[in-house]
């Protein structure tokens, strides 16, 4: 065998080392490889509301974290508003591609009942419950109401005089509004609730002085609150919100029995394969455990309400049963 010169041997060895280093960098350096399964070929997320609301904020935060963390190759977000999310749901459950996802939450559970929709949320495949969000009661900055007690006293005196903007019919905004009315002995059906398709429209209604107050998650009002155009009377939490500890809690306001929390999660179409279901479960567990997602929760004032696929499926069935009972008691369904 012909011997290589010393210089050529060194050259070939260096080339081999460079090649090995390049392979290592491709495998472990930079962004992680996309997860196996549905997300490896890219994904879409359906938002069952207009842009700007809580569902939309959640989906676009997921889009950013999933791609930046290398969990998904790419993510496209699309909005399908209408009837509190039930229009999107009725279309969504006809699909079967595991890479076509949908963000949804407790609000849609109620909207299904009040809109007498043909499909329940549990007909989709629950993948992960991700975040929780407390509700807030907000009024225009120049409003005569300085405290929640001020507003509820006026509501008690004349339930129809001060309209309340809510995100959708029968959703969490509506449900908590009904609970607050009951706290002062008012029938929820006597309150002038004005329904909009998402928190962005609720904000617009208040800024335009079309309603006296609005109810939604804090993140949907945060920009206008920080700009001094809206003021928060109380949150639905029993402890101060991390995102704004100065907001009075519902317990501070004198109504400790009215604590209420919303949740949002991610769903896949019905009938996906067991392997795709497992891959999605693992992918969103990875996302939920990431520092990037923890920062998203902190920024938006969301709490960690994570449940994996099996636990989420069981909890969703309970939530649907409880929502039906609650909405009947509130006269909303």
């Amino acid at each position: 065998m012909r011997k290589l010169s010393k210089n050529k041997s060194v050259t070939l060895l260096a080339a081999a080392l460079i090649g090995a280093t390049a392979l290592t960098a491709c495998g472990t350096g930079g962004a992680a490889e996309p997860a196996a399964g549905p997300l490896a070929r890219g994904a879409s997320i359906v938002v069952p509301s207009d842009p700007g609301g809580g569902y939309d904020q959640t989906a676009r935060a997921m889009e950013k974290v999933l791609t930046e963390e290398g969990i998904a190759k790419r993510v496209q977000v699309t909005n399908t508003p209408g009837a509190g999310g039930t229009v999107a749901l009725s279309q969504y459950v006809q699909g079967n591609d595991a890479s076509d996802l949908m963000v949804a939450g407790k609000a849609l559970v109620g909207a299904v009942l009040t809109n007498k929709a043909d499909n329940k949320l549990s007909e989709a495949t629950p993948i992960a419950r991700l975040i929780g969000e407390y509700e807030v009661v907000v009024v225009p900055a120049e409003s005569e109401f300085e405290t929640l007690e001020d507003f509820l006293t006026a509501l008690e005196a004349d339930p129809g005089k001060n309209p309340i903007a809510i995100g959708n019919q029968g959703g969490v905004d509506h449900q908590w509004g009904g609970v607050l009315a009951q706290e002062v002995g008012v029938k929820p059906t006597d309150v002038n609730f004005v329904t909009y398709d998402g928190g962005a429209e609720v904000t617009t209604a208040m800024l335009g002085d079309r309603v006296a107050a609005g109810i939604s998650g804090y993140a949907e009002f945060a920009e206008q609150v920080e700009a001094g155009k809206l003021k928060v009377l109380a949150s639905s939490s029993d402890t101060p919100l991390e995102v704004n500890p100065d907001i009075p809690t519902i317990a501070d306001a004198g109504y400790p029995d009215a604590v209420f929390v919303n949740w949002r999660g991610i769903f896949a179409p019905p009938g996906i394969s067991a392997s795709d279901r497992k891959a999605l479960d693992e992918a969103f567990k990875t996302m939920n455990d990431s520092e990037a997602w923890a920062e998203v929760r902190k920024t938006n004032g969301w709490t960690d309400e994570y449940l994996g696929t099996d636990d989420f499926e069981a909890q969703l069935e309970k939530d649907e049963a409880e929502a039906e009972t609650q909405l009947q008691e509130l006269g909303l369904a």
Side-chain angles (χ1 to χ4, degrees), residues 131-155:
I131 55 105
E133 183 175 30
Y134 288 100
E135 298 282 286
V136 290
V137 179
V138 177
V139 296
E142 66 278 5
S143 171
E144 63 183 293
F145 304 117
E146 295 295 332
T147 66
L148 181 64
E149 185 176 6
D150 291 341
F151 182 74
L152 293 183
T153 298
L155 191 72

Side-chain angles (χ1 to χ4, degrees), residues 96-111:
N96 57 15
D97 187 336
S99 66
D100 292 336
L101 307 173
M102 181 175 73
V103 63
K106 193 172 185 177
L108 187 48
V109 172

Side-chain angles (χ1 to χ4, degrees), residues 5-331:
S5 69
K6 182 178 180 181
N7 288 342
K8 185 171 283 189
S9 298
V10 171
T11 301
L12 289 175
L13 177 60
L17 289 172
I18 291 170
T21 302
L23 287 172
T24 301
C26 289
T28 60
E33 286 295 312
L39 298 187
R41 27 183 214 270
S44 63
I45 301 178
V46 174
V47 175
S49 68
D50 285 313
Y55 287 148
D56 189 64
Q57 291 174 345
T58 306
R60 295 185 191 279
M62 283 194 284
E63 174 190 14
K64 186 173 187 293
V65 175
L66 288 170
T67 53
E68 290 185 354
E69 293 292 304
I71 300 170
K73 185 176 182 180
R74 61 183 177 275
V75 178
Q76 180 180 359
V77 176
T78 59
N79 297 80
T80 306
T86 59
V87 170
L89 178 62
S90 66
Q91 297 174 7
Y92 185 73
V93 295
Q94 307 305 315
N96 57 15
D97 187 336
S99 66
D100 292 336
L101 307 173
M102 181 175 73
V103 63
K106 193 172 185 177
L108 187 48
V109 172
V112 164
L113 296 167
T114 55
N115 286 279
K116 298 180 174 60
D118 293 332
N119 305 102
K120 297 194 299 182
L121 187 53
S122 55
E123 291 178 33
T125 302
I127 298 299
R129 191 179 75 178
L130 295 167
I131 55 105
E133 183 175 30
Y134 288 100
E135 298 282 286
V136 290
V137 179
V138 177
V139 296
E142 66 278 5
S143 171
E144 63 183 293
F145 304 117
E146 295 295 332
T147 66
L148 181 64
E149 185 176 6
D150 291 341
F151 182 74
L152 293 183
T153 298
L155 191 72
E156 181 181 10
D158 189 347
K161 184 179 179 180
N162 295 291
I164 303 174
I166 55 174
N168 51 63
Q169 183 79 10
V172 290
D173 306 344
H174 204 168
Q175 292 175 43
W176 192 49
V179 169
L180 291 176
Q182 287 186 319
E183 285 290 309
V184 292
V186 173
K187 291 183 180 180
T189 49
D190 291 339
V191 178
N192 184 9
F193 288 111
V194 183
T195 305
Y196 295 93
D197 205 356
E201 291 190 13
V202 171
T203 300
T204 300
M206 280 191 293
L207 294 176
D209 291 324
R210 298 200 298 270
V211 294
I215 295 176
S216 193
Y218 177 76
E220 300 183 37
F221 299 130
E223 182 178 351
Q224 301 301 330
V225 171
E226 291 165 8
K229 296 181 180 180
L230 298 175
K231 59 184 176 183
V232 185
L233 300 184
S235 73
S236 66
S237 63
D238 54 357
T239 57
L241 298 182
E242 184 178 356
V243 70
N244 191 336
D246 294 332
I247 295 172
T249 69
I250 192 65
D252 293 335
Y255 306 96
D257 294 334
V259 173
F260 190 94
V261 65
N262 186 16
W263 58 258
R264 298 190 195 108
I266 193 74
F267 292 78
I272 63 172
S273 69
S275 61
D276 280 347
R277 184 175 182 267
K278 181 179 179 182
L280 289 170
D281 186 18
E282 292 172 350
F284 281 96
K285 176 66 165 65
T286 299
M287 186 201 78
N288 188 74
D289 291 345
S290 70
E291 291 183 7
W293 189 249
E295 186 61 29
V296 165
R297 287 196 301 262
K298 181 179 179 180
T299 299
N300 289 282
W302 298 338
T303 59
D304 185 355
E305 301 292 334
Y306 177 80
L307 288 177
T309 299
D310 291 336
D311 291 336
F312 186 24
E313 183 175 28
Q315 184 60 50
L316 179 59
E317 291 180 2
K318 295 178 182 178
D319 287 347
E320 287 181 330
E322 290 175 359
E324 184 170 8
T325 299
Q326 185 180 42
L327 288 169
Q328 289 173 346
E329 290 176 349
L330 296 177

